[in-house]
Amino acid sequence: MKKSIFFFAALLWVSGVYAQITFWGTGNVSSYNAETQQVEESVKAFVADQYEYQEVDSVSLKPQASNSYYALQLWKNKKLVNNYTNQLVLRNAYTQAHPNSKRIEIDSIVWHPYTLQEVWTPLGDTLPVALPYGNPSRAYGIEFEPALTSASCEVSVADTTIVQASYISDIYGRGTTYFSKLSYLLIQPLAVGSTTVTLTFNNSIRKELKFVVIPKQPVPDETSISVDSLYNKIYSRLAHTGNMRPAGAGDLRNVDEGFSGFHRGLFMLQELGADQLFWIWNDAGIDQLRNNTVAANNAMVYTFFYRVYYNIWMCNSYLSRTEGQAELATQRAEIRFLRAYFYYCLLDLFGNVPVVTENAVFATTPQSKRAEVYAFVEAELLAAEQELPAEINKSAYYRLDKAAAWLLLSRLYLNAPVYAGTTAYDKAAEYAYKVIESVYYTLASQYSWLFMGDNDTNSASNDAWREMIFTIRQDGQETASYGGSIYLIATMSDQSTPSTGLAQNWKCIRSRGQLVDLFFADPANAARGTATELTQAAGDDRALFCNEYNGYSWRYKGTTASDFNSGWVIQKWSNLRVEEYPASSTQWPDTDIPILRKAEAYLNYAEAVFRGGKTVGGLPAVEAVNVLRRRAHASEVSSLSLDFLLDERGREFYAEGCRRSDLIRFGKFGGETGYQWEQKSGTYNGTNFPAYMNLYPIPTNFLPSIEQGYQNEGY
């Protein structure tokens, strides 16, 4: 994904042994791109020329996430450029190196996107802007040219029922630096409508700004960016949370950005209230997920709902802007698949949601029934399948192909009784078999390799990538984000557990007893040790646990909040490598996240056939299961049952973000199920919770924005 720097503010200050020049703006420096390199090299050359330096030892851009700016650091023999005039020289250097930099000038005032409680990017290059109603205040930094030692400002608002406005001066107290003041204008939207805000600076500079407050939308208007950039951004938002690395300039407003990652939200809503993983901390909102007491105003539910519709909006924008462009048929099919996948997530978790397409807007789209959403997802996947490339013809590893559509269709049809009140087991088996039959995709040689730091195409030894059909790319240098695989690795480890190849250890998740029960007949008396010992004891390579290490031990059962010795450590995810060379980073993982992998096709097929679907290609259901068990060096089975199939899915896919859906399909989640698990409903031995909780609530904050909106039953 391309990133850009909007403009240079030319401030140099001295600290320790380096000089910093700030670049204010909304660009993302989460990766070192060609544009950044050109700017840095040009500045380096200019400085060398002006001051007869032979070279500058190093020049690098450093994101300052908390204040949404970039610091350019120049190093020469651990000495720095510290002359006052160098501020102007380096500013000129940047201007020459980057002549297309954007400056937002109104009279002699330069407006800077600034952060108060959040980083906010104005829509377009100039004020005024459209403000979504109900979101927090927006702040715009103001600097004056030439520098002013003081600046007064009178603010008047034509209609104070629409917005309130205030001017705050000298937020940083620049003193005698090039810009002596950095002030900001604070706008608080109050109601839908438009009004004019008039600013008068020092009784001379006057500016009128028109602000339009619009009904709250899931996302702002970004139609000014190119379709290529939008295409890249849609893929990137499977991993990123905003326009800075690892956080800053977040996509979503008024939420904790760390929780706003797509997969992190999906994982929490799928796993934390199910029967395998236990969240140790009593974090607000997460405790409701863990204890099956979710309310309609739950922040985690709201954030994921918001994230998915943000991603859908980008898909709609791309499809609208590329309509009729035959040369983009493949890219359009990929985006159409991704939109269908996002709607699949809403279908699965929320059921009754508005189906907003490229020809509609959220605010005027009525809420659809769950069966209608199912039909839409089915139709979109079938249409996308026709245009997606065959597996062997896709142009890049992370791009989508027909196999992705086949496997998601198989999953959709397998859940048809839940989603649409009908059965489609023949179709579930048919599309699963298409994936099984694919020669391009194969199973990884070893199960554990699927979740390691070299599970992409860069390893000569790890062939996990051959199993990955739909994958979220992760790279310690390029995709640092609190919403990616850092969450999967860091939450399941701490300083007392075996190394994961990362320095971050958050100590949040342990196993519930029911997960361990899937691998051990007598867990309380099972072998002690790490995954090396426990996979051997279980006779199954998938038993990636640790119950004793380096003088520390963990109990099999007895999980309670804030008890960090209860529940075994899960060693499934790591940043370690099959090839023992260093990861690209010890702070952020290289471990890709599989969304769809070939193993699912075998278990979807087995379940669909066992439930009454037609056998395809002469493959018995039990053999489809045994293919995976042989890979795991587990004993083969000669017969199947529904309970066994659910258990086998638990063994294969634990901690991958799908357990809740499986429990619901097998009738083991909400309602009088006859199945209890440790700390179900927040009680030690588990108690039932109502069947209506098989759906999450429509977030309270979104209901007023939905045409003919209604809440899911029970909330």
Side-chain angles (χ1 to χ4, degrees), residues 155-349:
V155 181
S156 62
V157 181
D159 188 344
T160 56
T161 66
I162 303 298
V163 301
Q164 289 184 353
S166 57
Y167 169 76
I168 312 296
S169 65
D170 197 17
I171 185 172
Y172 277 128
R174 300 274 189 206
T176 59
T177 56
Y178 183 72
F179 289 121
S180 62
K181 297 285 181 178
L182 177 61
S183 308
Y184 64 87
L185 173 69
L186 183 66
I187 300 293
Q188 172 66 57
L190 299 177
V192 174
S194 63
T195 189
T196 299
V197 177
T198 302
L199 307 176
T200 305
F201 294 94
N202 287 1
N203 298 317
S204 61
I205 302 173
R206 188 172 185 271
K207 188 63 188 177
E208 289 187 353
L209 304 170
K210 182 179 180 181
F211 286 88
V212 179
V213 182
I214 61 177
K216 187 173 183 179
Q217 301 291 326
V219 293
D221 180 15
E222 295 184 12
T223 56
S224 60
I225 67 175
S226 71
V227 292
D228 287 342
S229 296
L230 184 56
Y231 171 84
N232 291 331
K233 184 173 182 177
I234 292 168
Y235 268 102
S236 77
R237 283 321 184 254
L238 293 166
H240 286 282
T241 58
N243 290 329
M244 294 187 74
R245 180 190 69 170
D251 296 327
L252 312 185
R253 312 302 167 196
N254 200 29
V255 301
D256 184 323
E257 187 180 342
F259 286 103
S260 71
F262 169 76
H263 189 266
R264 181 169 179 171
L266 177 65
F267 183 92
M268 288 194 299
L269 267 59
Q270 279 282 359
E271 298 289 355
L272 298 189
D275 63 341
Q276 295 187 324
L277 310 184
F278 186 81
W279 186 273
I280 303 170
W281 300 95
N282 274 320
D283 300 86
I286 296 182
D287 59 344
Q288 291 185 6
L289 297 178
R290 179 190 67 203
N291 298 334
N292 313 108
T293 57
V294 173
N297 63 352
N298 182 277
M300 307 305 156
V301 172
Y302 166 80
T303 300
F304 183 71
F305 194 87
Y306 192 174
R307 162 57 65 189
V308 176
Y309 270 110
Y310 179 94
N311 291 359
I312 287 170
W313 172 85
M314 289 192 295
C315 294
N316 286 340
S317 180
Y318 182 87
L319 293 171
S320 175
R321 294 170 61 187
T322 59
E323 186 173 1
Q325 298 185 31
E327 70 277 12
L328 296 177
T330 299
Q331 291 92 322
R332 284 177 53 82
E334 293 171 55
I335 300 306
R336 201 168 180 181
F337 170 90
L338 287 171
R339 183 178 66 176
Y341 171 66
F342 295 138
Y343 272 116
Y344 176 87
C345 295
L346 293 173
L347 165 70
D348 181 65
L349 295 169

Side-chain angles (χ1 to χ4, degrees), residues 521-560:
D522 185 12
N525 296 307
R528 309 295 294 177
T530 66
T532 301
E533 290 78 26
L534 293 181
T535 52
Q536 293 177 358
D540 194 320
D541 291 349
R542 299 170 293 187
L544 298 172
F545 305 107
C546 171
N547 57 20
E548 189 169 284
Y549 176 73
N550 201 24
Y552 292 90
S553 62
W554 294 269
R555 298 191 304 275
Y556 144 65
K557 271 192 175 182
T559 51
T560 57

Side-chain angles (χ1 to χ4, degrees), residues 492 498-499 529-532 544-546 569-574 654:
M492 301 183 201
S499 172
T530 66
T532 301
L544 298 172
F545 305 107
C546 171
V569 175
I570 299 170
Q571 285 190 263
K572 183 168 182 172
W573 294 92
S574 81
Y654 69 92

